[in-house]
């Protein structure tokens, strides 16, 4: 009892000295503590007097221990796998890494010697406690262990009757002896989806496997594993995506589906042999992203009106251009969602089919079976389609069929890899398409890039005159501009990056009579672009500056993604 009073007194001194609470708030909390029997710290948090993270950090400082923000800490999953779920939950203690041979354990109450003894005994390691908030620990433990039962159910499907003893031993070696690896992969997938990542990268290095998430188009190192775990990691992912476990010398591509946090997620798996072992990439395809509206993607005002006018036409070709990862497919899916109704026969040919769209006929390219874009397109035309989407124009034959289809009464959508909208015209000419076909068949070309949105924690500033002049930033005479930049400290919503989500920077070039003539004359991209701008086309950079003025993104982000 005396010890408890001493701790309470010590805590009150800490709180007052650090200015976290007033004398009145403290007295009120002590009265509440007597009624509820809860700790003073928990009482203050529940009263809303002090933030849990700040209070925990202050307590850690006064105890002489390190405070860890688990949301931004690079956790070593080899350490996590050493402790059983029940013990982690019972003591709110989670191993997060190593300091030499010592195990670093995040705890809500690092003074609990019984918890320390339990963890030490179970893991057979010396322990160095660090402090984390109760909420962070509960979230991390729940996220890490929640899919274990699902993983065990998957493993039970291994059919031992069709394997000899050696094959069965290898399968069990991957499946059961490496249960920590199963939990690790499930943890990584759940965390990546919860953080809004589009890719998960497992990069094999000389001594470790670096786990990285691509969030809002930017890769972040988040975790690491010892390189010796690569074989188990690769085998587990190959089992999940129905790939050849024994093959390690050539690239492999696969696919699987999984329900994560109540949402059905598709994963495209790519495995690539490198000098240090197999690099593994999981692309996360969240079906909810295809339900976005065009104005959610960044289409606004005049650009949206012109684009809608183009895709409402009964025929013609609309091309969306940009590099890989610029959101071309998402834009096309959002467009098809607008057009999709029972009166239209819509057919797509894709490689691969990324999202399944109800009411739309989708064809998967299959090179092994001889089903390519070109012959799939010929077959589609015999089914009397109203609207056709070609996943990508890669060769002359596909390009010619797509353009000719647009000229014979079909509305055709496709993608092309060019730097800007005018570049699509010269690209088609270089591929061998006759300029008069391009001039007659193309309705418009849309080019886009994805820039990160500023988080709500953004900070205002006044840019210098020199910067505005150098960038040719649009403004009225004498206009005083207040722009926004990312908060250098960020917040919990953006995980300290200052950005949350992405928005498209677009340029839309319509085929006017003047541009059609330039196309027939095989004019250069620069000449076509000059005329398009004179006729009102806003370039991607100009669209970016408008979004900077609206406080949606930053100057730095526009310069990062647009040449």
């Amino acid at each position: 009892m005396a010890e408890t009073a001493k701790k309470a007194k010590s805590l009150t001194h800490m709180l007052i000295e650090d200015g976290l609470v007033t004398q009145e708030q403290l007295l009120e909390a002590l009265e509440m503590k007597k009624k509820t029997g809860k700790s003073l710290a928990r009482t203050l948090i529940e009263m809303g007097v002090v933030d849990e993270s700040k209070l925990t950090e202050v307590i850690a400082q006064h105890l002489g221990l390190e405070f860890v923000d688990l949301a931004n800490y690079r956790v070593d999953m080899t350490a996590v796998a050493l402790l059983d779920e029940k013990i982690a939950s019972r003591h709110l203690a989670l191993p997060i890494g190593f300091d030499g041979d010592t195990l670093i354990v995040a705890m809500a109450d690092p003074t609990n010697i019984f918890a320390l003894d339990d963890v030490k005994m179970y893991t057979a390691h010396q322990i160095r406690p660090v402090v984390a908030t109760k909420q962070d620990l509960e979230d991390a433990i729940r996220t890490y262990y929640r899919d274990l039962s699902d993983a065990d159910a998957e493993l039970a499907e291994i059919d031992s009757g069709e394997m000899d003893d050696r094959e069965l031993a290898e399968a069990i070696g991957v499946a059961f002896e490496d249960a920590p690896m199963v939990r690790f992969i499930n943890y990584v997938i759940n965390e990546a989806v919860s953080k809004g990542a589009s890719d998960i990268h497992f990069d094999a290095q000389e001594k470790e496997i670096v786990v990285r998430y691509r969030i809002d188009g930017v890769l972040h190192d988040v975790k690491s594993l010892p390189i010796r775990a690569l074989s188990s990691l690769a085998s587990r992912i190959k089992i999940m995506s129905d790939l050849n476990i024994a093959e390690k010398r050539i690239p492999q591509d696969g696919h699987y589906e999984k329900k994560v946090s109540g949402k059905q997620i598709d994963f495209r798996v790519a495995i690539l042999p490198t000098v240090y072992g197999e690099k593994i990439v999981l692309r996360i395809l969240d079906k909810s992203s295809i339900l976005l509206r065009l104005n959610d993607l960044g289409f606004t005002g005049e650009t949206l009106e012109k684009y809608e006018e183009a895709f409402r036409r009964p025929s013609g070709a609309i091309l969306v251009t940009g590099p890989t990862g610029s959101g071309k497919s998402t834009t096309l899916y959002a467009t098809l969602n607008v057009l999709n109704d029972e009166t239209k026969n819509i057919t797509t040919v894709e490689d691969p089919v990324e999202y399944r769209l109800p009411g739309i006929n989708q064809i998967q390219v299959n090179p092994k079976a001889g089903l390519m874009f070109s012959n799939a397109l010929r077959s589609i035309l015999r089914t009397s389609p109203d609207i056709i989407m070609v996943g990508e124009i890669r060769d002359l034959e596909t390009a010619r069929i797509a353009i000719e289809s647009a000229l014979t009464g079909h509305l055709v959508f496709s993608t092309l890899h060019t730097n800007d909208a005018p570049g699509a015209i010269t690209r088609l000419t270089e591929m061998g398409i006759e300029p008069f076909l391009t001039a007659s068949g193309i309705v418009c070309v849309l080019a886009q890039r994805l820039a990160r949105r500023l988080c709500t924690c953004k900070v205002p500033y006044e840019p210098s005159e020199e910067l505005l002049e150098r960038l040719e930033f649009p403004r009225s005479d004498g206009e005083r501009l207040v722009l926004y930049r990312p908060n250098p400290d960020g917040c919990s919503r953006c995980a300290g990056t200052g950005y949350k989500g992405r928005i498209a920077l677009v340029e839309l070039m319509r085929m006017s009579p003047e541009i059609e003539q330039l196309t027939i004359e095989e004019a250069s991209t620069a000449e076509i672009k000059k005329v398009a701008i004179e006729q009102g086309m806003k370039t991607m950079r100009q669209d970016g500056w408008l979004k900077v003025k609206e406080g949606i993104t930053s100057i730095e982000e526009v310069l990062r993604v647009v040449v």
Side-chain angles (χ1 to χ4, degrees), residues 496-526:
T497 64
Y499 294 98
K500 182 67 175 177
R502 289 195 285 179
I503 191 165
L505 309 183
V506 300
E507 66 181 32
L508 183 72
M509 184 186 77
R510 294 193 292 184
M511 290 294 286
S512 66
E514 292 79 10
I515 293 177
E516 287 180 13
Q517 186 60 40
L518 289 173
T519 301
I520 293 170
E521 294 170 0
E522 298 187 30
S524 67
T525 300

Side-chain angles (χ1 to χ4, degrees), residues 461-463 468 473-475 479-483 549:
Y461 74 102
E462 289 190 32
L468 295 174
F473 198 91
R475 54 177 175 157
E479 181 183 6
R480 180 188 172 191
L481 287 177
V482 177
L483 306 181
K549 290 183 76 171

Side-chain angles (χ1 to χ4, degrees), residues 14 57-67 110 128-131:
M14 288 190 285
E57 186 175 355
V58 169
I59 294 172
Q61 289 173 355
H62 283 272
L63 289 173
L65 298 174
E66 180 185 354
F67 172 76
R128 175 162 75 83
V130 296
V131 185

